[in-house]
Amino acid sequence: MTQLEGEHIPSPTHDRGSTSAPSPAPGSPMLESMGGTAGFVYSTVPVVVFVIALALLSTKAAVIAAVATGVVLTVARLVRGERLLAASGSLTGVLVAAGIVALTGSAKDFFLLGIWVAFAGFLATFGSVLFRRPLSGVAWNLLHGGAHDWRADRQVLRAHDIATLAAASVLGARFVVKQWLYVHDATGWLAFAKIAMGTPLTVVAALVVAWAFRKTSKHLVGSPPAGTIVQ
């Protein structure tokens, strides 16, 4: 078929460029560093297995079942292509908890590590606010090269006070509730508290921190010029 004079036929290259699909939205670095959404779920499965096995079997068997579950989940996550650090995080916690139970022989000590990690986290976050260096602000500044005088902006400092206090509240609540249950030998309720006060409260605190990050970026970095594509 002959091309008519003056008729314009678009080139294939032009068509591909004009119909290219938009790039996917970037994920949340904060959520990714914690193993993603699935990481929260995977961290609770060995706990559930431990409690169920403890009701049916001996403490030793329950610990072995929890560790075996952690290993299987870690291998599955590695096969899916997750990074080793993210995939093995929950397994590390299970192994340490199992080691403590092996030393003490008490099933409730499976939760001892989490109790004192929460207490240490509370001291760190709450103390950072008292010293006027809230940890969420420190983290934001490190992610942006450490070049911003973020503490000089009162609105930014207040936002990070709120965000860091939100994290401190979550950690403090976990310590108080779990320590009370630990003292009263409520192993089953310790597992329930770990699950109920784990993912839901972590998400709430992460949302507050994300709000403080956005507010800080708006104040200190500013919006990109019109037409700029943010990668």
Side-chain angles (χ1 to χ4, degrees):
M1 185 174 179
T2 306
Q3 177 182 349
L4 298 177
E5 185 179 353
E7 182 181 355
H8 173 67
I9 299 178
S11 66
T13 304
H14 175 76
D15 288 345
R16 285 195 299 268
S18 61
T19 59
S20 60
S23 58
S28 167
M30 202 160 34
L31 189 59
E32 184 181 348
S33 68
M34 293 184 284
T37 306
F40 293 127
V41 178
Y42 289 140
S43 65
T44 64
V45 174
V47 178
V48 174
V49 170
F50 174 77
V51 174
I52 294 175
L54 187 63
L56 303 173
L57 306 168
S58 65
T59 299
K60 181 179 179 180
V63 169
I64 293 173
V67 171
T69 302
V71 170
V72 171
L73 291 176
T74 299
V75 172
R77 296 175 71 179
L78 290 173
V79 170
R80 288 179 54 198
E82 294 189 37
R83 293 178 301 176
L84 177 62
L85 184 61
S88 62
S90 60
L91 175 60
T92 302
V94 172
L95 289 174
V96 174
I100 295 173
V101 174
L103 289 174
T104 65
S106 176
K108 69 177 183 179
D109 287 340
F110 188 81
F111 303 94
L112 193 61
L113 175 67
I115 292 172
W116 290 105
V117 165
F119 182 66
F122 169 76
L123 291 180
T125 50
F126 188 71
S128 71
V129 174
L130 293 180
F131 284 101
R132 310 307 295 156
R133 285 174 173 78
L135 287 182
S136 66
V138 173
W140 180 91
N141 199 33
L142 288 174
L143 289 173
H144 289 79
H148 297 276
D149 188 12
W150 59 277
R151 295 174 61 240
D153 189 310
R154 297 182 65 180
Q155 291 189 45
V156 167
L157 183 60
R158 187 180 304 113
H160 286 294
D161 281 342
I162 293 171
T164 306
L165 285 174
S169 299
V170 168
L171 294 165
R174 286 175 180 167
F175 171 74
V176 170
V177 172
K178 291 180 182 180
Q179 179 64 13
W180 187 88
L181 293 171
Y182 178 85
V183 170
H184 288 80
D185 297 320
T187 304
W189 282 107
L190 274 168
F192 176 80
K194 179 176 176 61
I195 296 169
M197 303 183 76
T199 302
L201 295 186
T202 298
V203 170
V204 170
L207 288 174
V208 181
V209 172
W211 163 78
F213 272 39
R214 287 195 299 268
K215 188 177 183 68
T216 306
S217 297
K218 182 178 179 181
H219 274 252
L220 301 183
V221 180
S223 302
T228 301
I229 299 177
V230 180
Q231 298 296 332

